[in-house]
Amino acid sequence: APPELAGFYVVRMQDRDVNVSANRPDRDKFQGHSGIVSSAGKEEVFVKWLSENGAKFVDRALLRCYENDVRGVHAARDLKAEEIIIEVPLKCLITVEMGKATDVGRAVLEAGLELDAPKHIFLMLFLLLDRCNSDSFFRPYYDVLPGSLSNMPIFWKPNELTWLEGSYLLVQIEERKCAIQNDFKAIVDAWPAFKRICTLDEFSWARMCVCSRNFGIVINGVRTSAMVPYADMLNHFRPRETKWTFDNTRGAFTITALQLIPSGGQIYDSYGQKCNHRFLLNYGFAVEDNYESDGYCPNEVALLVRLAPEDPLTARKRLIWIRDGAVGVKRIRLCASDNENFRACLSLLRVVAADEVELDRILSQNPYGTYRTASDIHVPVSFRNECAALSLLKHTCKSMLEAYPRSLAADKSAISSNALSPFSNERHACIHVKSEKLVLCHYINFAKTALNLARCHDGEFEATVSRLFDEPVHRHVASYCNGVVRQVRHAVPKLLSVESDRRQHKLNLSTPTIV
């Protein structure tokens, strides 16, 4: 293989070896802090409250503490597959309907407010209102909720946010803060007495508390969300080892083991297949080994695809961009996989890279051509256009990678050296930005490999594509080259017009059109 292709193999296999290992770092961080059975008075009162009200788990599960506000649930004995571990009756749940039934909840409904997360809001309203009552039935639960959510990025200090420099997550943090402020103001406007119930800081605490702890369930045919005491203390791990549901025959929320969990072992829940930006923003942690059992990694990086204002064809290109819900600018989240977002990104790049002849072909000589939107151009336009789109992708990802103050190698070193506390904000920030950089490296090498294969001899093309298919980690680029690159290589005489060849139109790649 050409040198760049050989480099592709080395880089990707090294990244893969780092991220998928037998020691499962996301479990090991708890092994180093095995914790002690919680003996704090408030937690004893909490467990007693649940038990006295019909919850069943005390002979099967124990609450352990690792650090301040870092807890987990461990097996009190060997737990068999399909055994119900935790059972919490309906009377101990806080549901959306309970929030709607409050005075402030009714005021919000009557005002028809457009809120950022309506179901979360109604859970928050009940929580904030009811906790003011010292005799509340749920007082033992409120007392064990974390008093501080300093692990949540919206509460990070300015020096902590610098650890995320270069990441779009900084924008999302500010957007979340603004959404919370807007919701708070709207609720106060609808029910002025609410400002005597809580401050904006307390409202923000409740928002993130509910965001990170609620369960979406169906109770007697009604889809709702609920806060489920004790069940919300399980930590995340995938592939899932337990399952949860609301069991209408039992009238209780249940968590059931899917496999043998040995005595003393931690009982995990799966928070779902998510990118690290969602884990960090909504739960206050990032997953070091965020791979599915089939090798898929949901980690993403946000690309901003933008038409170049100096391009004389921009006005015409906007005709098709408008139909995509964007006026020359669109942000797309990419993971290292051949999915709808990747295909949409490449489609948009084909429009950005198009010369006049190619744009005529895309628009089919009229502003409402054969493509419904700019994201639907899933077949190559021409050999030149495909290579230009790949070059834009490569240069964009390189520019984004250079915007981070620390290198990928430095991130890997910091994480593997154990210099950062396993539950620290700095470590989780480092894991997140490393995740983004790995996706950027994937697409830099993806573009290099595809461009090399587009221009090599037939025999070399066939042999290299075959070798790429041999390794699961390379199948994304292998599939693209076997389909799209093969198509443009064979169709060069038909797709490249004489006029386009004569003009030899080239894009200025010194300033990427995606940032």
Side-chain angles (χ1 to χ4, degrees):
E4 280 191 310
L5 292 183
F8 176 85
Y9 279 94
V10 173
V11 172
R12 290 302 302 141
M13 289 306 293
Q14 285 176 343
D15 290 343
R16 188 70 174 139
D17 289 341
V18 168
N19 283 279
V20 180
S21 57
N23 62 9
R24 309 298 287 185
D26 297 295
R27 295 181 82 114
D28 286 354
K29 67 182 179 184
F30 293 105
Q31 298 298 329
H33 295 69
S34 58
I36 57 173
V37 177
S38 177
S39 59
K42 63 182 182 180
E43 286 162 352
E44 288 184 344
V45 170
F46 170 61
V47 170
K48 182 181 178 182
W49 167 70
L50 283 170
S51 299
E52 289 177 347
N53 284 283
K56 301 174 183 177
F57 60 84
V58 292
D59 63 326
R60 291 160 260 178
L62 296 169
L63 193 61
R64 291 184 181 269
C65 297
Y66 310 102
E67 286 186 359
N68 289 338
D69 289 331
V70 181
R71 293 175 290 206
V73 177
H74 288 248
R77 58 170 172 78
D78 287 348
L79 301 171
K80 300 176 182 178
E82 298 304 321
E83 179 178 0
I84 293 177
I85 307 169
I86 297 169
E87 184 175 330
V88 183
L90 177 59
K91 67 183 293 187
C92 295
L93 274 59
I94 298 174
T95 65
V96 168
E97 289 65 36
M98 293 164 66
K100 289 181 177 179
T102 63
D103 289 343
V104 60
R106 286 192 292 269
V108 167
L109 289 171
E110 289 171 5
L113 301 182
E114 293 186 6
L115 302 169
D116 182 49
K119 287 187 177 181
H120 292 179
I121 291 293
F122 290 112
L123 290 172
M124 291 164 55
L125 294 180
F126 183 90
L127 170 65
L128 289 165
L129 210 63
D130 190 57
R131 71 174 189 152
C132 295
N133 176 10
S134 59
D135 296 325
S136 167
F137 172 72
F138 293 99
R139 174 55 53 193
Y141 177 48
Y142 300 151
D143 287 344
V144 299
L145 290 174
S148 167
L149 293 175
S150 58
N151 61 315
M152 299 284 190
I154 73 161
F155 299 114
W156 285 10
K157 299 173 182 176
N159 67 299
E160 293 178 303
L161 292 173
T162 62
W163 298 328
L164 295 172
E165 187 177 342
S167 172
Y168 183 67
L169 183 57
L170 287 171
V171 175
Q172 293 179 285
I173 292 168
E174 289 305 310
E175 289 175 344
R176 176 64 57 85
K177 288 181 180 179
C178 288
I180 291 172
Q181 291 171 3
N182 291 338
D183 284 351
F184 181 71
K185 182 180 183 303
I187 293 170
V188 169
D189 289 345
W191 199 66
F194 190 64
K195 62 185 175 184
R196 297 195 296 272
I197 301 298
C198 70
T199 64
L200 174 59
D201 286 344
E202 291 169 326
F203 187 80
S204 300
W205 169 85
R207 172 72 170 86
M208 299 313 298
C209 201
V210 168
C211 173
S212 60
R213 307 179 86 89
N214 80 96
F215 293 84
I217 55 177
V218 178
I219 301 176
N220 297 322
V222 178
R223 188 173 297 279
T224 187
S225 290
M227 300 285 281
V228 186
Y230 205 90
D232 59 6
M233 293 186 179
L234 272 65
N235 290 311
H236 165 78
F237 187 78
R238 285 183 67 83
R240 65 178 187 155
E241 300 174 353
T242 60
K243 62 182 179 181
W244 51 261
T245 189
F246 186 85
D247 188 330
N248 286 292
T249 59
R250 294 174 178 269
F253 181 95
T254 61
I255 295 182
T256 304
L258 293 175
Q259 61 187 51
L260 171 67
I261 301 175
S263 178
Q266 187 167 174
I267 303 168
Y268 290 98
D269 177 26
S270 166
Y271 297 1
Q273 183 186 103
K274 294 178 174 68
C275 169
N276 262 331
H277 86 272
R278 293 181 62 191
F279 280 127
L280 190 51
L281 180 63
N282 296 325
Y283 300 97
F285 67 86
V287 179
E288 185 175 350
D289 184 15
N290 197 19
Y291 283 87
E292 297 295 300
S293 55
D294 62 359
Y296 171 73
C297 179
N299 289 336
E300 300 168 334
V301 68
L303 294 182
L304 189 64
V305 185
R306 178 157 52 202
L307 291 171
E310 69 277 7
D311 183 353
L313 299 174
T314 291
R316 293 185 63 207
K317 291 176 179 179
R318 284 202 187 102
L319 293 173
I320 191 167
W321 275 60
I322 290 172
R323 284 181 272 158
D324 208 37
V327 185
V329 178
K330 187 175 179 66
R331 189 173 297 280
I332 298 184
R333 289 199 161 276
L334 289 185
C335 65
S337 178
D338 182 11
N339 58 18
E340 182 179 348
N341 277 14
F342 165 71
R343 292 188 290 274
C345 180
L346 206 52
S347 296
L348 291 166
L349 288 172
R350 287 169 181 144
V351 177
V352 175
D355 64 15
E356 188 171 5
V357 172
E358 293 157 353
L359 185 59
D360 286 343
R361 185 176 297 118
I362 291 170
L363 295 176
S364 298
Q365 304 299 330
N366 71 80
Y368 305 99
T370 57
Y371 294 111
R372 187 174 62 86
T373 73
S375 298
D376 293 331
I377 307 169
H378 295 161
V379 294
V381 179
S382 72
F383 181 88
R384 189 214 68 84
N385 179 267
E386 198 68 16
C387 289
L390 288 168
S391 294
L392 282 170
L393 179 62
K394 180 183 70 173
H395 283 270
T396 297
C397 291
K398 288 178 72 174
S399 296
M400 291 181 66
L401 197 58
E402 291 166 359
Y404 295 94
R406 188 162 68 174
S407 69
L408 174 59
D411 290 336
K412 290 181 179 180
S413 176
I415 294 168
S416 63
S417 68
N418 295 320
L420 304 176
S421 172
F423 305 112
S424 68
N425 291 345
E426 185 175 5
R427 181 180 179 84
H428 290 143
C430 190
I431 291 171
H432 168 66
V433 296
K434 187 196 82 168
S435 300
E436 292 186 331
K437 292 170 189 175
L438 286 173
V439 177
L440 291 171
C441 286
H442 170 86
Y443 281 105
I444 291 169
N445 288 295
F446 179 102
K448 286 181 179 179
T449 302
L451 285 167
N452 280 333
L453 284 171
R455 295 161 178 149
C456 68
H457 297 299
D458 287 347
E460 188 176 17
F461 176 87
E462 299 296 342
T464 305
V465 169
S466 178
R467 289 199 301 274
L468 288 170
F469 270 118
D470 288 340
E471 292 287 346
V473 71
H474 303 314
R475 285 180 186 163
H476 184 196
V477 70
S479 177
Y480 169 80
C481 290
N482 192 50
V484 175
V485 174
R486 182 185 298 277
Q487 181 179 347
V488 293
R489 280 168 55 88
H490 289 172
V492 168
K494 290 183 290 184
L495 291 177
L496 288 180
S497 70
V498 174
E499 181 183 355
S500 185
D501 282 342
R502 187 185 306 118
R503 284 183 287 132
Q504 294 182 335
H505 177 80
K506 294 183 179 180
L507 284 173
N508 178 9
L509 299 179
S510 60
T511 304
T513 55
I514 309 176
V515 296

